[in-house]
Amino acid sequence: MTSSLRPQGDRKSPSPPSPPSRQRDAFFDNAKYLAIVLVGVGHAWGQILDGNRTVETLYRVLYTFHMPAFIVISGYFSRSFDLSPKRVKRLITGVAVPYLVFEVAYTLHRRVSEDPQSDFSLLDPTYLLWFLCALFVWRLTTPIWQTVRWPLPIALGIAALASVTPSVGNDLNMQRVLQFLPCFVLGLVLRPEHFQLVRRRAVRILSVPVVAAALVIAWWSVPRMETGWFYRNAAMQDTGAPWWSGPVLTLALFGCSVVLTACFFAWVPGRRMWFTALGAGTIYGYLLHGFLVKEGTYTGWFQHSFLDQPLGEIGLTVLGAGAVTLLCTKPVQRVLRYVVEPKMDWAFRRDPGDAARGREKREGSGVRDTAAAPAAPNGSGEKVSV
């Protein structure tokens, strides 16, 4: 009775429910970590290919899918990209600035370790930095692929044309930008249900004979095909092959890449693992492990006879995987975040939309900004998905 006579103003109004926190999807963090480990292992194997058919077989299978898987994930997490100031800022700070910083760093490293006269060029990416150039271009074109009716066939057509166009030179490594474009566009058109589809138990079982067949084909191809074709960084005429083989190889490699990438995703665990947290730092492992590979090349370390033996090959594989893992850890991220993921608020104009939203929040209006761009999947933003 007493409670019913309580003055209306004394009643406690229910506090508004707090918005649900967006959690990272363990599957994608696991996939990014495993992909970057395979990239590091592949770069290590690439130094001991001469006359080693077994390693080259594994190398070819790996190069058929590890960068496509990398790029598909990048495309999938670029679906929310538009040309809004917020997205453009992240593109500059997360892709363009790291490219500039590490292009300088790799050039200086080469001058110190090998060639004091090594040229510096922003248009000719050093080693693995081509991916940042490609990601910059791909993300800028994202609104186009989300507008046209047949994005994937168009991207395949562009890749096929690039494979027979020698005039597409090394500037920004445009051959790779264009020939890997279909993988990025594929990531843009994929939806969560597609990843659920390949993670079924039946697909996981089927992937075993598929990968076994890929190994057999790769073994057969070693003396019959150029390894350079898997890099997709040159026109067919430049490799001595007839021009018509360019479109054929483009479609064949894309098909093989999609199949083996699906097999890879089928075996990526969906639950949290000991390495799941490392998936948030794969950009660090990607950019930094190249210094180790290059230093080993400059000093002739990979020429050691021990690496020609099975035990040496296994040891190099473990070393490559371990080094990449360490470079993805939190201590490395804390030390280098200012160059890999700089905020650089001082370099950009303030977004009026952000200011308005901040004012609404301070005033406690609770009004949602329906014009805001949608968040990227699992709250990862527009960070580089590597």
Side-chain angles (χ1 to χ4, degrees), residues 150-174:
W150 303 290
L152 192 55
I154 293 174
L156 282 169
I158 292 174
L161 288 174
S163 70
V164 296
T165 310
S167 59
V168 178
N170 290 328
D171 289 353
L172 299 181
N173 217 318
M174 287 304 296

Side-chain angles (χ1 to χ4, degrees), residues 283-300:
I283 181 62
Y284 295 84
Y286 182 82
L287 292 174
L288 295 172
H289 83 275
F291 289 106
L292 302 178
V293 177
K294 283 297 185 181
E295 184 63 25
T297 303
Y298 297 152
T299 59

Side-chain angles (χ1 to χ4, degrees), residues 48 52 55 305-317:
I48 57 171
N52 196 326
V55 173
S305 59
F306 175 70
L307 297 178
D308 295 331
Q309 304 172 18
L311 189 59
E313 296 161 3
I314 295 173
L316 180 63
T317 302

Side-chain angles (χ1 to χ4, degrees), residues 56-359:
E56 186 157 356
T57 297
L58 296 173
Y59 182 82
R60 291 188 176 203
V61 172
L62 189 60
Y63 264 71
T64 302
F65 79 90
H66 78 326
M67 279 310 299
F70 218 43
I71 296 167
V72 166
I73 295 174
S74 298
Y76 181 74
F77 283 101
S78 298
R79 292 177 301 155
S80 61
F81 182 83
D82 52 28
L83 295 178
S84 64
K86 178 181 179 181
R87 308 293 182 186
V88 172
K89 174 185 174 182
R90 288 197 174 187
L91 181 64
I92 294 173
T93 59
V95 180
V97 172
Y99 171 72
L100 295 175
V101 170
F102 279 87
E103 184 61 51
V104 173
Y106 272 102
T107 301
L108 293 177
H109 177 235
R110 183 170 184 175
R111 288 183 176 182
V112 171
S113 298
E114 186 193 39
D115 181 11
Q117 305 301 321
S118 180
D119 292 332
F120 171 77
S121 173
L122 290 179
L123 297 180
D124 187 10
T126 300
Y127 197 31
L128 45 71
L129 295 180
W130 71 268
F131 177 72
L132 294 184
C133 290
L135 188 60
F136 189 88
V137 174
W138 293 334
R139 278 197 172 155
L140 281 179
T141 62
T142 294
I144 297 176
W145 305 116
Q146 293 178 331
T147 302
V148 298
R149 181 168 294 180
W150 303 290
L152 192 55
I154 293 174
L156 282 169
I158 292 174
L161 288 174
S163 70
V164 296
T165 310
S167 59
V168 178
N170 290 328
D171 289 353
L172 299 181
N173 217 318
M174 287 304 296
Q175 276 291 352
R176 274 178 166 165
V177 172
L178 298 178
Q179 292 195 39
F180 277 111
L181 175 63
C183 298
F184 181 81
V185 175
L186 175 62
L188 287 175
V189 302
L190 289 178
R191 295 296 178 262
E193 54 268 25
H194 297 127
F195 289 95
Q196 293 295 333
L197 186 65
V198 299
R199 294 167 61 188
R200 296 183 303 172
R201 185 171 183 269
V203 179
R204 192 175 298 118
I205 295 173
L206 181 61
S207 66
V208 175
V210 170
V211 173
L215 289 168
V216 172
I217 295 172
W219 176 273
W220 171 86
S221 73
V222 169
R224 295 173 176 85
M225 291 178 60
E226 293 287 339
T227 303
W229 290 353
F230 293 87
Y231 303 146
R232 309 184 204 190
N233 60 355
M236 280 296 107
Q237 298 93 314
D238 293 335
T239 65
W243 71 268
W244 54 264
S245 61
V248 173
L249 193 63
T250 297
L251 295 177
L253 280 177
F254 180 75
C256 293
S257 298
V258 170
V259 171
L260 290 181
T261 297
C263 294
F264 168 71
F265 286 142
W267 282 95
V268 171
R271 64 185 184 278
R272 291 195 64 83
M273 308 290 289
W274 64 266
F275 53 79
T276 301
L278 300 177
T282 48
I283 181 62
Y284 295 84
Y286 182 82
L287 292 174
L288 295 172
H289 83 275
F291 289 106
L292 302 178
V293 177
K294 283 297 185 181
E295 184 63 25
T297 303
Y298 297 152
T299 59
W301 185 82
F302 291 108
Q303 305 302 318
H304 199 286
S305 59
F306 175 70
L307 297 178
D308 295 331
Q309 304 172 18
L311 189 59
E313 296 161 3
I314 295 173
L316 180 63
T317 302
V318 174
L319 181 62
V324 171
T325 299
L326 290 175
L327 294 174
C328 293
T329 56
K330 290 293 184 182
V332 175
Q333 294 181 44
R334 283 195 293 268
V335 171
L336 294 177
R337 180 168 284 121
Y338 68 98
V339 293
V340 177
E341 299 177 285
K343 291 186 178 180
M344 295 180 60
D345 292 334
W346 54 269
F348 300 96
R349 298 177 180 175
R350 186 167 183 177
D351 185 359
D354 288 342
R357 285 188 289 273
R359 187 163 54 251

